[in-house]
């Protein structure tokens, strides 16, 4: 059975996914340029440099910023209008599962910032907010989708 999402879902999800990709790409650039140009405070509780160079900034040796780029590239592809138009239930489940993985990852990273690093990165917070918004859009679209009539 194919479904039709609300009209606002494809453009809204694509916009959020592309914004997330851009911010993640910026964080990846900063990671590989030794975080020398981060447009963020580097002292006090808001300290992007402390967060992006902490032991929590890598998972199994892979920079979290790289994982963010991969996540948002995949989500951008899943949120393209053609992917939404396909109406595939499987594709819809994969899209929602991807968002769930993103939110769980963001929750872990927020925990790491607050309790592991004791600092907040505003750029990272932007990624976390965009990930949560993407989840809300995709979940709402899934719950409001209507069956396609032949």
């Amino acid at each position: 059975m194919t479904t039709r999402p609300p009209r606002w879902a494809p453009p809204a999800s694509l916009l959020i996914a592309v914004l997330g990709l851009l911010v993640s790409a910026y964080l990846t650039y900063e990671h590989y340029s030794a975080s020398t140009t981060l447009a963020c405070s580097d002292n006090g509780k808001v300290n992007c440099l402390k967060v992006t160079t902490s032991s929590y900034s890598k998972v199994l040796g892979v920079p979290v910023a790289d994982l963010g780029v991969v996540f948002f590239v995949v989500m951008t592809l899943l949120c393209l209008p053609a992917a939404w138009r396909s109406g595939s239930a499987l594709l819809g489940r994969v899209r929602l599962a991807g968002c769930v993985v993103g939110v769980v990852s963001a929750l872990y990273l927020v925990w790491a910032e607050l309790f592991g690093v004791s600092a907040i990165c505003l750029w990272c917070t932007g990624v976390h907010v965009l990930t949560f918004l993407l989840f809300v859009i995709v979940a709402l679209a899934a719950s409001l989708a209507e069956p396609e009539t032949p």
Side-chain angles (χ1 to χ4, degrees), residues 45 56 107-120:
K45 192 68 170 167
Y56 294 95
L107 288 172
Y108 166 74
L109 292 170
V110 168
W111 174 87
E113 286 182 72
L114 295 175
F115 302 106
V117 183
S118 297
I120 300 289

Side-chain angles (χ1 to χ4, degrees), residues 128-148:
H128 304 154
V129 168
L130 290 168
T131 302
F132 179 74
L133 287 174
L134 186 59
F135 169 76
V136 169
I137 290 166
V138 170
L140 269 175
S143 69
L144 297 173
E146 298 176 1
E148 285 274 347

Side-chain angles (χ1 to χ4, degrees), residues 67-110:
L67 298 174
V69 168
V70 170
F71 170 75
F72 281 110
V73 164
V74 170
M75 292 312 299
T76 297
L77 294 172
L78 291 171
C79 292
L80 288 171
W84 282 98
R85 275 194 307 269
S86 78
S88 164
L90 176 61
L91 196 56
R93 286 192 293 272
V94 169
R95 185 183 302 115
L96 185 57
C99 286
V100 169
V101 168
V103 166
V104 169
S105 299
L107 288 172
Y108 166 74
L109 292 170
V110 168

Side-chain angles (χ1 to χ4, degrees), residues 13 18-19 21 26 30 35 38 40 43 60 76 79 81 92 110 138:
S13 65
V18 168
L19 288 173
L21 179 58
Y26 172 72
E30 287 299 332
S35 300
L38 270 172
C40 180
N43 54 28
L60 301 174
T76 297
C79 292
V110 168
V138 170

